Amino acid sequence: MESSSGVRKWIEADESAKELLSRVLIQLFLPPPLHNFPFRLGNVVEIVGPSPSAKTHILMQAAIRCILPKEWKGVHHGGLDHAVMFIDLDCRFDILHFSRLLEHQITIAEGLKFSEEIDRDSLGGYVKNLTSMCLRRFFYVRCYESLQFLATLKTMHTKIQEQKENHGVGIHMLIIDSIGAFYWTDRALSSLTLGDTNRKGLSLQAVSDTVVEELRKLLQLHPMVILTTKTVNLQGRCLKHEIKSVPRNMSSRDATFFRATRSKPENNPYREYMPSVWQNFVTHRVLIRPSDDENQRPPIFSSEWLLPLLNRTDRFTFGDNVILTVP
Amino acid sequence: MAPLKSLEPDYPIIDSNFQQFCASHHIFSVEDFLLHDIYALELSTKQHFDSKRLEEGISVVRTIMEGLHQPWLNGMELLQKAQGNKHGISTGYERIDVLLEGGLFQGNLVELVGPSSSGKTQLCLKVAANVAVNNLGSVTFFDTGNSFSPKRIDKLLDQSSEPAKIKTEEVRRRVMDKIVCQSVFDIYVLFDLLHQLKSTLKPVTGSSVQMLIVDSISSLVTPILGSGAHGHALMVSLGFLLKELAYEHNLSVLVTNHMVGAEGGHLKPALGESWKNVPDMRLHVSRDCKSNICSMSILRHPYITAGKAVMFSLK
């Protein structure tokens, strides 16, 4: 009977547990210094640090890991085989440097030297073909102001769907460099008043609310990992000379509190300036800063996970354009 | 913030009915759409009798939004675009060209930082003369401190590598014609001029170079950088406007900045932390007092490590 086949269909499984886990539990293992945690789709990772530190380079390495295939023509590359979308708010991305890093990453693959299929002559062809295949999985846009950024976010859903249909490779990583780029211009917009008080004015709060809202909706439709950077000014060392000078008209109780907060840079290594709606959206946060010895070549950086809090600091440096951990 | 009314002639579906519907949700311009939840708006159209037409209107607004941002490019397209700019613009000083691996590049915003009379203006003039004499393209020079002088350019042309090229008066005039200088003493005037430049720039044909020099940008920004967020906002938007001109219109932009005192008696670049991130490349110039030997070091570069330095002679 029809109803019994309908009931049977309802009881029958849609997918096995294995299929469910492989669909939901996609974990992304990123290169150092982001190697401490496997990231799941829906995580929002914020890389915080003063300028200049290696933040954009870290993003490039993560993107390269993502766009490389796991294996190509018999050679193992260890990539994640996904597409990446890169929203550049800092507008300083250099594609020539990126493609050089990608080529370098391809040529250091272990199996390349021993592969019999690829002899010396066609090594160049192999690298070229793989590079162009990977670069086609990398999507890039620049935004010069908040309105452009909002317009990009609002039209991303159609773009991602179009991409999926044309290329078949899913997008699992969204990179935003850097989220605080329009902080000053948006802050100044707050003072523009509009006649109708019910009308949402363009302000830092409104922009941040909309950005977080759009990203949340995007994550529901297309689960992915969001990597962003944020440039901050480090406190502590820089403010040592300010500890002594307390504002004259502060009461003595406030003055002791003032001195106490200033002299403990470990609690607050930097001043947070993004609105709390963004801060609460972030699920992982790592602080990158240059090591104290500024004259060391190549420069050494330290990474410290603030969220979730790991009480240890890793050090890393650049060796041959690749990020290596330093003991 | 153009009101929705202004879109009606081009998009007849955005008629007064649609505008009224939007007004009921406090949306009066496309920018207001950007701050609103479009999905919720689409749901609310179902309550209206002509929901189909309103939905069509919303999808037209979506296509308008796609035109509000730069187009998405994939890595290969980006690479091809960048490889078109592979050859650098020679600065006229060979050692600097070697340090920068080719010289100045189109699509970049380069900042020259140095104390006063360290050779920044001289460098700007030399680059301008070089671009003009080697027929590379045209130069727009925004001068904020009356440091531009045609006589100095003339002298530099004399010293250029091939003086035979510019023997005749006519040739010299043609070369000088390529350099357009404008005095600017106000940041708002600079904004105006840059917007004008943006709207009049035609797509660059062939290998013609367009160079934009602002000497010095710090003298325009420092007066407005006082207390309050407005100064910083103006500075950052000026930076982004210059970057947009450089990248989207393929100019090579060079700006100069002076130095201020920092803790410990050192000097640091003016304009503060918020400006630090704006230029693609920051170069520090300093001069040995009383001599013509200068040193240039890299403060920030997309891929060359900071700290690399080179000495060069101003002559």
Side-chain angles (χ1 to χ4, degrees), chain A residues 92, chain B residues 100 103-105 108-113 253-255 278-283 298-304:
Chain A
R92 276 191 287 117
Chain B
L100 298 179
L104 301 176
F105 289 90
N108 275 348
L109 169 62
V110 180
E111 178 191 2
L112 274 182
V113 171
V253 184
L254 179 63
V255 301
V278 170
D280 296 302
M281 236 191 275
R282 297 188 99 196
L283 305 168
I298 295 184
L299 289 179
R300 164 181 239 130
H301 191 280
Y303 48 87
I304 303 177

Short mmCIF file of all heavy atoms in Angstrom, two decimals, chain A residues 92, chain B residues 100 103-105 108-113 253-255 278-283 298-304:
data_model
loop_
_atom_site.label_atom_id
_atom_site.label_comp_id
_atom_site.label_asym_id
_atom_site.label_seq_id
_atom_site.Cartn_x
_atom_site.Cartn_y
_atom_site.Cartn_z
N ARG A 92 46.63 45.18 0.62
CA ARG A 92 48.06 45.11 0.44
C ARG A 92 48.52 43.74 -0.01
O ARG A 92 49.68 43.40 0.11
CB ARG A 92 48.79 45.50 1.73
CG ARG A 92 48.94 47.00 1.86
CD ARG A 92 49.87 47.42 2.95
NE ARG A 92 49.28 47.22 4.25
CZ ARG A 92 49.77 46.38 5.15
NH1 ARG A 92 50.83 45.69 4.89
NH2 ARG A 92 49.18 46.24 6.31
N LEU B 100 65.16 47.78 -4.60
CA LEU B 100 63.72 47.54 -4.72
C LEU B 100 63.40 46.50 -5.79
O LEU B 100 62.25 46.30 -6.12
CB LEU B 100 63.01 48.85 -5.08
CG LEU B 100 63.15 49.96 -4.05
CD1 LEU B 100 62.42 51.20 -4.52
CD2 LEU B 100 62.54 49.52 -2.73
N GLY B 103 62.66 48.87 -8.99
CA GLY B 103 62.25 50.26 -8.88
C GLY B 103 60.83 50.36 -8.34
O GLY B 103 60.38 49.52 -7.57
N LEU B 104 60.12 51.40 -8.76
CA LEU B 104 58.74 51.57 -8.32
C LEU B 104 57.82 50.83 -9.27
O LEU B 104 58.09 50.75 -10.46
CB LEU B 104 58.38 53.06 -8.32
CG LEU B 104 59.25 53.94 -7.44
CD1 LEU B 104 58.86 55.39 -7.61
CD2 LEU B 104 59.12 53.54 -5.98
N PHE B 105 56.76 50.28 -8.74
CA PHE B 105 55.85 49.51 -9.58
C PHE B 105 54.48 50.15 -9.64
O PHE B 105 54.04 50.78 -8.68
CB PHE B 105 55.70 48.08 -9.05
CG PHE B 105 56.94 47.26 -9.24
CD1 PHE B 105 57.93 47.23 -8.28
CD2 PHE B 105 57.12 46.53 -10.40
CE1 PHE B 105 59.07 46.49 -8.46
CE2 PHE B 105 58.26 45.77 -10.59
CZ PHE B 105 59.25 45.75 -9.61
N ASN B 108 51.09 50.28 -6.84
CA ASN B 108 51.56 50.36 -5.45
C ASN B 108 51.52 51.77 -4.92
O ASN B 108 51.73 52.73 -5.66
CB ASN B 108 53.02 49.89 -5.37
CG ASN B 108 53.10 48.40 -5.25
OD1 ASN B 108 52.11 47.73 -5.02
ND2 ASN B 108 54.30 47.86 -5.41
N LEU B 109 51.34 51.90 -3.62
CA LEU B 109 51.48 53.18 -2.94
C LEU B 109 52.77 53.12 -2.12
O LEU B 109 52.91 52.28 -1.23
CB LEU B 109 50.28 53.42 -2.01
CG LEU B 109 50.36 54.59 -1.04
CD1 LEU B 109 50.50 55.90 -1.78
CD2 LEU B 109 49.11 54.64 -0.17
N VAL B 110 53.73 53.98 -2.48
CA VAL B 110 55.03 53.96 -1.82
C VAL B 110 55.18 55.23 -0.99
O VAL B 110 54.86 56.32 -1.44
CB VAL B 110 56.17 53.91 -2.87
CG1 VAL B 110 57.51 53.90 -2.18
CG2 VAL B 110 56.01 52.68 -3.74
N GLU B 111 55.70 55.07 0.24
CA GLU B 111 55.89 56.22 1.10
C GLU B 111 57.38 56.41 1.36
O GLU B 111 58.10 55.47 1.68
CB GLU B 111 55.16 55.98 2.42
CG GLU B 111 55.33 57.10 3.42
CD GLU B 111 54.82 56.72 4.81
OE1 GLU B 111 54.40 55.57 4.98
OE2 GLU B 111 54.88 57.56 5.71
N LEU B 112 57.84 57.64 1.22
CA LEU B 112 59.22 57.99 1.52
C LEU B 112 59.23 58.74 2.84
O LEU B 112 58.62 59.81 2.94
CB LEU B 112 59.78 58.93 0.46
CG LEU B 112 60.38 58.37 -0.81
CD1 LEU B 112 60.89 59.53 -1.65
CD2 LEU B 112 61.53 57.43 -0.52
N VAL B 113 59.94 58.21 3.82
CA VAL B 113 59.96 58.85 5.12
C VAL B 113 61.37 59.34 5.40
O VAL B 113 62.33 58.63 5.15
CB VAL B 113 59.56 57.82 6.21
CG1 VAL B 113 59.78 58.38 7.57
CG2 VAL B 113 58.14 57.41 6.04
N VAL B 253 52.00 55.44 -7.21
CA VAL B 253 51.80 56.59 -6.34
C VAL B 253 52.95 56.69 -5.35
O VAL B 253 53.32 55.71 -4.69
CB VAL B 253 50.46 56.48 -5.56
CG1 VAL B 253 50.23 57.72 -4.74
CG2 VAL B 253 49.32 56.26 -6.53
N LEU B 254 53.53 57.87 -5.24
CA LEU B 254 54.65 58.10 -4.33
C LEU B 254 54.30 59.27 -3.43
O LEU B 254 53.91 60.34 -3.91
CB LEU B 254 55.90 58.43 -5.16
CG LEU B 254 57.20 58.72 -4.44
CD1 LEU B 254 57.66 57.51 -3.66
CD2 LEU B 254 58.27 59.10 -5.45
N VAL B 255 54.39 59.07 -2.11
CA VAL B 255 54.10 60.17 -1.18
C VAL B 255 55.28 60.31 -0.23
O VAL B 255 56.03 59.37 0.00
CB VAL B 255 52.80 59.92 -0.37
CG1 VAL B 255 51.62 59.77 -1.30
CG2 VAL B 255 52.94 58.73 0.53
N VAL B 278 48.94 51.70 5.96
CA VAL B 278 48.31 52.10 4.70
C VAL B 278 49.21 51.90 3.47
O VAL B 278 48.79 51.26 2.51
CB VAL B 278 47.80 53.55 4.80
CG1 VAL B 278 47.36 54.07 3.47
CG2 VAL B 278 46.66 53.61 5.79
N PRO B 279 50.46 52.42 3.46
CA PRO B 279 51.24 52.26 2.24
C PRO B 279 51.68 50.81 2.02
O PRO B 279 51.88 50.06 2.96
CB PRO B 279 52.48 53.15 2.48
CG PRO B 279 52.18 53.95 3.68
CD PRO B 279 51.21 53.18 4.48
N ASP B 280 51.81 50.44 0.73
CA ASP B 280 52.32 49.10 0.42
C ASP B 280 53.79 49.00 0.78
O ASP B 280 54.27 47.96 1.20
CB ASP B 280 52.18 48.82 -1.08
CG ASP B 280 50.73 48.80 -1.52
OD1 ASP B 280 49.97 47.99 -0.95
OD2 ASP B 280 50.36 49.58 -2.40
N MET B 281 54.50 50.11 0.56
CA MET B 281 55.94 50.09 0.76
C MET B 281 56.34 51.34 1.52
O MET B 281 55.88 52.43 1.19
CB MET B 281 56.60 50.17 -0.62
CG MET B 281 57.54 49.05 -0.91
SD MET B 281 58.47 49.40 -2.39
CE MET B 281 57.38 48.83 -3.64
N ARG B 282 57.21 51.18 2.54
CA ARG B 282 57.69 52.35 3.27
C ARG B 282 59.21 52.35 3.21
O ARG B 282 59.86 51.36 3.56
CB ARG B 282 57.28 52.27 4.74
CG ARG B 282 55.80 52.30 4.97
CD ARG B 282 55.48 52.42 6.43
NE ARG B 282 55.17 53.79 6.78
CZ ARG B 282 55.14 54.24 8.02
NH1 ARG B 282 55.45 53.47 9.02
NH2 ARG B 282 54.83 55.50 8.26
N LEU B 283 59.76 53.46 2.75
CA LEU B 283 61.21 53.55 2.61
C LEU B 283 61.72 54.70 3.46
O LEU B 283 61.17 55.79 3.42
CB LEU B 283 61.57 53.82 1.14
CG LEU B 283 61.02 52.81 0.14
CD1 LEU B 283 61.18 53.32 -1.27
CD2 LEU B 283 61.73 51.48 0.29
N ILE B 298 64.64 49.83 3.96
CA ILE B 298 63.25 49.40 3.78
C ILE B 298 62.59 49.25 5.15
O ILE B 298 63.08 48.52 6.00
CB ILE B 298 63.21 48.06 3.03
CG1 ILE B 298 63.73 48.26 1.62
CG2 ILE B 298 61.80 47.51 2.99
CD1 ILE B 298 63.64 47.03 0.76
N LEU B 299 61.49 49.97 5.38
CA LEU B 299 60.75 49.82 6.62
C LEU B 299 59.66 48.77 6.46
O LEU B 299 59.32 48.06 7.38
CB LEU B 299 60.09 51.14 7.02
CG LEU B 299 61.01 52.25 7.51
CD1 LEU B 299 60.19 53.49 7.82
CD2 LEU B 299 61.75 51.80 8.76
N ARG B 300 59.09 48.75 5.28
CA ARG B 300 58.04 47.78 5.01
C ARG B 300 57.97 47.52 3.51
O ARG B 300 58.04 48.44 2.71
CB ARG B 300 56.70 48.32 5.48
CG ARG B 300 55.59 47.51 4.88
CD ARG B 300 54.24 47.99 5.27
NE ARG B 300 53.59 46.88 5.94
CZ ARG B 300 52.99 46.94 7.11
NH1 ARG B 300 52.91 48.05 7.74
NH2 ARG B 300 52.46 45.86 7.63
N HIS B 301 57.87 46.24 3.15
CA HIS B 301 57.80 45.86 1.74
C HIS B 301 56.99 44.57 1.67
O HIS B 301 57.03 43.78 2.59
CB HIS B 301 59.23 45.62 1.22
CG HIS B 301 59.29 45.48 -0.26
ND1 HIS B 301 58.99 44.32 -0.92
CD2 HIS B 301 59.62 46.37 -1.22
CE1 HIS B 301 59.13 44.50 -2.23
NE2 HIS B 301 59.51 45.73 -2.43
N PRO B 302 56.23 44.36 0.58
CA PRO B 302 55.42 43.14 0.51
C PRO B 302 56.21 41.86 0.72
O PRO B 302 55.70 40.92 1.31
CB PRO B 302 54.84 43.18 -0.90
CG PRO B 302 54.82 44.61 -1.27
CD PRO B 302 55.94 45.26 -0.53
N TYR B 303 57.46 41.79 0.23
CA TYR B 303 58.16 40.54 0.43
C TYR B 303 59.64 40.68 0.80
O TYR B 303 60.22 39.74 1.30
CB TYR B 303 58.03 39.62 -0.80
CG TYR B 303 58.33 40.31 -2.11
CD1 TYR B 303 59.62 40.40 -2.61
CD2 TYR B 303 57.30 40.86 -2.87
CE1 TYR B 303 59.87 41.02 -3.80
CE2 TYR B 303 57.55 41.49 -4.06
CZ TYR B 303 58.84 41.58 -4.52
OH TYR B 303 59.08 42.20 -5.71
N ILE B 304 60.24 41.83 0.59
CA ILE B 304 61.64 41.98 0.98
C ILE B 304 61.69 42.26 2.48
O ILE B 304 60.90 43.07 2.98
CB ILE B 304 62.32 43.14 0.23
CG1 ILE B 304 62.20 42.92 -1.28
CG2 ILE B 304 63.78 43.25 0.60
CD1 ILE B 304 62.77 44.06 -2.09
#
